[in-house]
Amino acid sequence: GDSVTQMEGPVTLSEEAFLTINCTYTATGYPSLFWYVQYPGEGLQLLLKATKADDKGSNKGFEATYRKETTSFHLEKGSVQVSDSAVYFCALHGGTSYGKLTFGQGTILTVHP
Amino acid sequence: GAVVSQHPSRVICKSGTSVKIECRSLDFQATTMFWYRQFPKKSLMLMATSNEGSKATYEQGVEKDKFLINHASLTLSTLTVTSAHPEDSSFYICSARDRGRYTDTQYFGPGTRLTVL
């Protein structure tokens, strides 16, 4: 079945540091890939998405490229801010999953001033 | 972007009572909504898929008689936790599927914190 693996957290960075959160997946068919962000006590917000190979999703300075050859969708940001502190979830929507999302385990990011 | 609301955001109830949580898609129609449960510092656990006009599809291990789901319209799904017990205390999150010709994305509600005393 479908699966998503994220890098272990928590990740702690200083403000303005470069961020990478790794995400790899296993899926049958042609999945769409997503990054969601969850701030403390809140639901998930869609951060970015990519629907086919080589697509790059971007939003609020975050980027991720759909790499079919490495089955990866790593999240990057060039300069993090304290306000980026949150939990980040990588997810896939597989062609055979009838709309269900398969989530990674989540990565906690803490950014210090 | 698409907006999904949940109500209430927080509820405290006594053991043995029932609690209803509403999930609404505010600016799009959703034939499919999903209900998740999230434990502290954990990922989301899918409980059930709510289909407009038909019965919900429950994940393995989720008691359908305890977690009643109704999806009576294209913008509203409800989750009722019946005869709640302290072990049902959790953060419940819904999502709504926005499916069109060029899109297929789930948008999430802000979550409902349920505490059963």
Side-chain angles (χ1 to χ4, degrees):
Chain A
D2 297 345
S3 68
V4 176
T5 303
Q6 286 180 237
M7 66 185 288
E8 292 279 342
V11 174
T12 302
L13 295 173
S14 297
E15 205 165 25
E16 298 184 2
F18 184 85
L19 168 71
T20 300
I21 300 177
N22 290 338
C23 171
T24 57
Y25 67 90
T26 303
T28 54
Y30 301 94
S32 294
L33 301 173
F34 304 85
W35 277 101
Y36 286 89
V37 58
Q38 184 179 32
Y39 298 101
E42 299 183 9
L44 276 66
Q45 297 178 25
L46 177 65
L47 183 59
L48 54 85
K49 65 179 182 179
T51 58
K52 61 183 187 296
D54 299 326
D55 271 2
K56 177 187 282 188
S58 61
N59 185 26
K60 300 180 181 180
F62 291 90
E63 293 183 341
T65 301
Y66 188 159
R67 302 282 189 203
K68 190 175 180 183
E69 63 276 14
T70 54
T71 62
S72 65
F73 194 54
H74 305 321
L75 182 68
E76 296 182 337
K77 186 175 186 183
S79 177
V80 294
Q81 305 300 312
V82 172
S83 57
D84 294 326
S85 298
V87 182
Y88 291 81
F89 292 96
C90 184
L92 73 81
H93 168 274
T96 59
S97 61
Y98 304 101
K100 294 181 186 179
L101 282 174
T102 300
F103 284 94
Q105 65 268 42
T107 301
I108 299 172
L109 171 66
T110 303
V111 180
H112 292 297
Chain B
V3 179
V4 176
S5 70
Q6 266 183 258
H7 178 79
S9 58
R10 187 179 293 268
V11 58
I12 301 172
C13 69
K14 293 182 179 179
S15 187
T17 60
S18 294
V19 174
K20 180 185 283 189
I21 303 170
E22 293 186 348
C23 178
R24 293 181 186 272
S25 56
L26 299 184
D27 50 3
F28 66 99
Q29 293 183 329
T31 55
T32 306
M33 292 185 176
F34 300 88
W35 287 96
Y36 297 85
R37 184 173 178 175
Q38 187 178 34
F39 294 98
K41 298 188 177 181
K42 296 289 186 183
S43 189
L44 281 72
M45 182 192 80
L46 179 64
M47 299 174 65
T49 303
S50 172
N51 302 298
E52 188 266 338
S54 64
K55 291 183 179 180
T57 305
Y58 290 82
E59 296 298 301
Q60 193 172 10
V62 177
E63 299 176 61
K64 60 182 179 182
D65 294 331
K66 180 166 188 62
F67 298 99
L68 300 179
I69 291 172
N70 183 276
H71 193 155
S73 79
L74 289 171
T75 59
L76 173 65
S77 175
T78 61
L79 168 69
T80 301
V81 182
T82 62
S83 187
H85 291 284
E87 58 266 30
D88 299 323
S89 298
S90 194
F91 193 54
Y92 293 88
I93 306 175
C94 73
S95 71
R97 186 181 185 187
D98 183 8
R99 191 177 187 188
R101 187 171 183 181
Y102 301 106
T103 186
D104 190 350
T105 302
Q106 283 190 37
Y107 294 94
F108 286 78
T112 297
R113 173 74 59 192
L114 171 62
T115 303
V116 185
L117 303 176

